[in-house]
Amino acid sequence: METLRLLLDYFPTAVYTGKCLVFISEDWRVELTEHKSGDFSRNSSEPSVIRVRIFKKALDGDFVPGHYEDFQLASLGELAEQIEKYVQFAIGKNLRESIE
């Protein structure tokens, strides 16, 4: 969860729930979760996988899961940049400002 905490500096509109970062607006919900490899034979210095899940609000008001993508980049700055670009292209909004 340490990578998610570090990403809070890059995304000031995010809310950290203890298990994920959440961006929410009237029409969208974006969740970032951190996953570590359970394979103990792998190198422990490998970066965590950050899964970005995108939900769109349905007519009934529930958020419906759409697509997701996994990111695994060692550089925190590059990770944040690529996540921001992915979400911006997926929903047409910038995470740094707000996803209203």
Side-chain angles (χ1 to χ4, degrees):
M1 299 302 154
E2 59 194 66
T3 304
L4 289 180
R5 289 181 187 268
L6 295 171
L7 285 171
L8 273 171
D9 291 337
Y10 287 88
F11 303 118
T13 59
V15 174
Y16 181 63
T17 68
K19 68 175 192 166
C20 67
L21 284 183
V22 178
F23 306 86
I24 195 158
S25 74
E26 193 172 308
D27 297 319
W28 298 98
R29 176 183 173 97
V30 178
E31 292 180 356
L32 279 64
T33 53
E34 184 172 356
H35 304 273
K36 297 230 183 234
S37 174
D39 183 357
F40 296 109
S41 66
R42 293 182 126 185
N43 186 352
S44 64
S45 65
E46 283 188 26
S48 299
V49 172
I50 302 296
R51 176 164 289 170
V52 179
R53 297 178 63 198
I54 298 180
F55 301 80
K56 177 144 177 75
K57 190 176 246 182
L59 294 175
D60 65 2
D62 289 338
F63 285 101
V64 178
H67 47 279
Y68 71 88
E69 191 64 46
D70 291 339
F71 292 83
Q72 189 174 22
L73 300 166
S75 164
L76 189 64
E78 184 180 4
L79 175 65
E81 180 182 311
Q82 293 302 314
I83 289 171
E84 182 175 20
K85 190 184 300 184
Y86 172 75
V87 172
Q88 187 171 0
F89 289 144
I91 67 174
K93 305 283 182 187
N94 187 328
L95 283 179
R96 283 184 176 262
E97 296 163 4
S98 179
I99 60 169
E100 297 180 350

